[in-house]
Amino acid sequence: MANYMKEALKVAKEALVGGEVPVGCLFIYKGQVIATGSNTVNETRNATRHAEMDCVEIIVKKYPNWTDVLHDCQVVVTVEPCIMCAAALHDVRVASITYGCANDRFGGCSSVLDTSKMYTNPCPVVGGVMADEAMDLLKEFYKGQNPNAPECKVKLKKPKL
């Protein structure tokens, strides 16, 4: 899986260059990468446009028997899928999920919520593959300013005179 993770990290780096949260995802079917995706949340201004969802959409459009294809897909993603994506991956019954670094804010594979517990036959999940490399990309993104982040509405306390 390390070679696939290296490829997913390249996709994540491209997302970073494009101003997106650097998450890269691959769907592997019978040893071939059949879909790649990255976050396009900033570009589309749609909070659901995560890398995993883009890959699922590609497969649904490309394969008439998409449910069978998804059941045999191994998912490799640089960051632990969020709760939405993890639940969707279990729901479409992918073969497995392998991720890089944990997602302490939104992780749906165990960091925040273990979505697999909601399913009778969840897929196996393995985390921590090239986690440092994936985390370094996230740190690089968060060093900068997200141009699409909402304006801060926090009121500062007035100093007492």
Side-chain angles (χ1 to χ4, degrees), residues 8 40 48 70 75 95-96 148 150 161:
T40 57
T48 67
L70 285 171
V75 176
S96 66
N148 294 311
L161 298 175

Side-chain angles (χ1 to χ4, degrees), residues 49-60:
R49 299 313 309 171
H50 292 189
E52 301 91 336
M53 296 305 208
D54 282 356
C55 287
V56 169
E57 185 174 316
I58 289 166
I59 291 168
V60 167

Side-chain angles (χ1 to χ4, degrees), residues 16-27:
L16 177 63
V17 170
E20 295 287 347
V21 176
V23 178
C25 183
L26 310 175
F27 276 46

Side-chain angles (χ1 to χ4, degrees), residues 71-86:
H71 293 175
D72 288 332
C73 278
Q74 297 171 294
V75 176
V76 175
V77 60
T78 57
V79 178
E80 176 185 2
C82 71
I83 294 167
M84 172 186 72
C85 290

Side-chain angles (χ1 to χ4, degrees), residues 32-46:
Q32 298 293 317
V33 175
I34 61 167
T36 62
S38 63
N39 281 15
T40 57
V41 170
N42 290 334
E43 174 190 335
T44 62
R45 297 185 183 271
N46 179 339

Side-chain angles (χ1 to χ4, degrees), residues 83-106:
I83 294 167
M84 172 186 72
C85 290
L89 294 173
H90 286 298
D91 201 50
V92 298
R93 297 183 14 231
V94 296
S96 66
I97 302 169
T98 301
Y99 67 86
C101 65
N103 182 344
D104 294 335
R105 294 181 67 201
F106 308 108

